[in-house]
Amino acid sequence: MRKDVFIETRNVMDFRQKIATLESDSGEPGFALIFGQAGRGKTDTTRNYYARNGGVFLRVMQGWTQTAFLQELCFQVCSMRPRSAAACKAKVIEAIEDMPQTIFVDEADRLHVDRIEDLRDIFDVTGSPVVLIGEQELRGVLGTRRRIWSRVKQVVEFGPVTEEDVAILGDEAAGLDIEPEAAASIVRQSDGDFRLVWSFIGQLEQVARTHETSIITVGMVGRVAKHVASWRK
């Protein structure tokens, strides 16, 4: 099965349109909130956009202090890690003022709200967009402070994978012809989780090879579901 397949879902198209608007001269600068349940494709979509369009990409690690967060952000922006948080922030602002670029922060729901205040400081001085990506609770975190929420200009909620997405992924990643009822079963049993859909496709590819066919039926999905979706029990 091909692992390099990236399909254009409705979530992806919504993400691209709203981030492009945020970055455009005609758009209103500010923050973007990208949120949704784990496994919906938020990180892959962000990385794909970042690879095409550039910017700064930072993945948050659990338990980061202010200094650790700003040191890593500073390293991603200008390849240095000053010792103090204040020095890091000053360097980031200086570099982004010199070369404006969008800051993408993945796993942002792990951040203390005060770290988002640090990003607000950087945005207020530089005007460069900040894109925060995280799970459901991230929206609530941003909403606790009006001065942060008032800067959120674009919101994308990643919904579950669709039957059409499953059919396209099966075809492009593994050459499978997934029947509509089978695609619907995969969506239901994966709970719309793209990572679990990938697991289904991998298992179904093996079954299809064993039976020397490319057509995937709802019965085949049922046979592999106990291996893929057992986490739900």
Side-chain angles (χ1 to χ4, degrees), residues 36-42 135 158-159 161 192-197:
Q37 182 176 303
R40 295 279 169 87
K42 302 181 299 295
E135 295 189 22
F158 269 58
V161 63
D193 185 320
F194 236 121
R195 284 193 287 266
L196 283 175
V197 171

Side-chain angles (χ1 to χ4, degrees), residues 2-224:
R2 289 180 55 193
K3 298 293 187 180
D4 60 341
V5 171
F6 184 84
I7 65 172
E8 303 290 325
T9 68
R10 283 178 288 183
N11 290 329
V12 171
M13 290 185 284
D14 193 22
F15 177 98
R16 287 183 178 165
Q17 185 271 320
K18 289 185 176 177
I19 302 306
T21 297
L22 194 70
E23 293 176 327
S24 72
D25 293 337
S26 59
E28 186 177 4
F31 281 53
L33 165 62
I34 313 300
F35 75 104
Q37 182 176 303
R40 295 279 169 87
K42 302 181 299 295
T43 296
D44 285 346
T45 299
T46 303
R47 286 188 177 277
N48 179 271
Y49 187 93
Y50 163 72
R52 291 184 176 193
N53 299 281
V56 178
F57 183 89
L58 175 67
R59 181 190 184 278
V60 174
M61 302 296 284
Q62 186 68 33
W64 265 353
T65 62
Q66 181 188 32
T67 300
F69 169 66
L70 288 171
Q71 281 180 333
E72 188 59 29
L73 178 59
C74 188
F75 183 77
Q76 296 300 325
V77 173
C78 46
S79 302
M80 61 178 68
R81 289 189 175 93
R83 295 186 64 178
S84 75
C88 289
K89 190 183 291 189
K91 286 291 185 183
V92 168
I93 289 172
E94 179 183 350
I96 292 182
E97 282 190 307
D98 185 55
M99 183 181 295
Q101 48 194 323
T102 300
I103 300 173
F104 299 92
V105 183
D106 194 22
E107 305 280 358
D109 51 292
R110 289 177 164 182
L111 288 174
H112 188 281
V113 68
D114 288 345
R115 302 294 69 76
I116 299 173
E117 292 280 14
D118 288 321
L119 291 167
R120 183 178 69 86
D121 288 339
I122 292 167
F123 164 74
D124 284 354
V125 176
T126 66
S128 284
V130 176
V131 181
L132 301 173
I133 306 102
E135 295 189 22
Q136 305 285 93
E137 57 267 31
L138 179 58
R139 184 168 192 166
V141 171
L142 300 185
T144 62
R145 297 194 182 177
R146 181 174 295 181
R147 61 179 174 264
I148 293 175
W149 186 250
S150 66
R151 287 163 171 78
V152 176
K153 305 304 179 182
Q154 300 292 339
V155 177
V156 181
E157 180 175 8
F158 269 58
V161 63
T162 67
E163 295 169 23
E164 181 182 8
D165 298 334
V166 170
I168 293 171
L169 184 61
D171 178 39
E172 295 190 5
L176 301 177
D177 181 4
I178 302 177
E179 294 183 344
E181 289 183 357
S185 179
I186 292 172
V187 169
R188 184 174 62 256
Q189 297 193 67
S190 68
D191 199 27
D193 185 320
F194 236 121
R195 284 193 287 266
L196 283 175
V197 171
W198 273 103
S199 297
F200 266 105
I201 299 299
Q203 293 283 337
L204 290 167
E205 182 183 32
Q206 295 178 36
V207 171
R209 285 180 178 175
T210 299
H211 291 83
E212 297 183 341
T213 183
S214 63
I215 299 173
I216 302 300
T217 66
V218 70
M220 291 177 177
V221 174
R223 286 197 291 275
V224 305

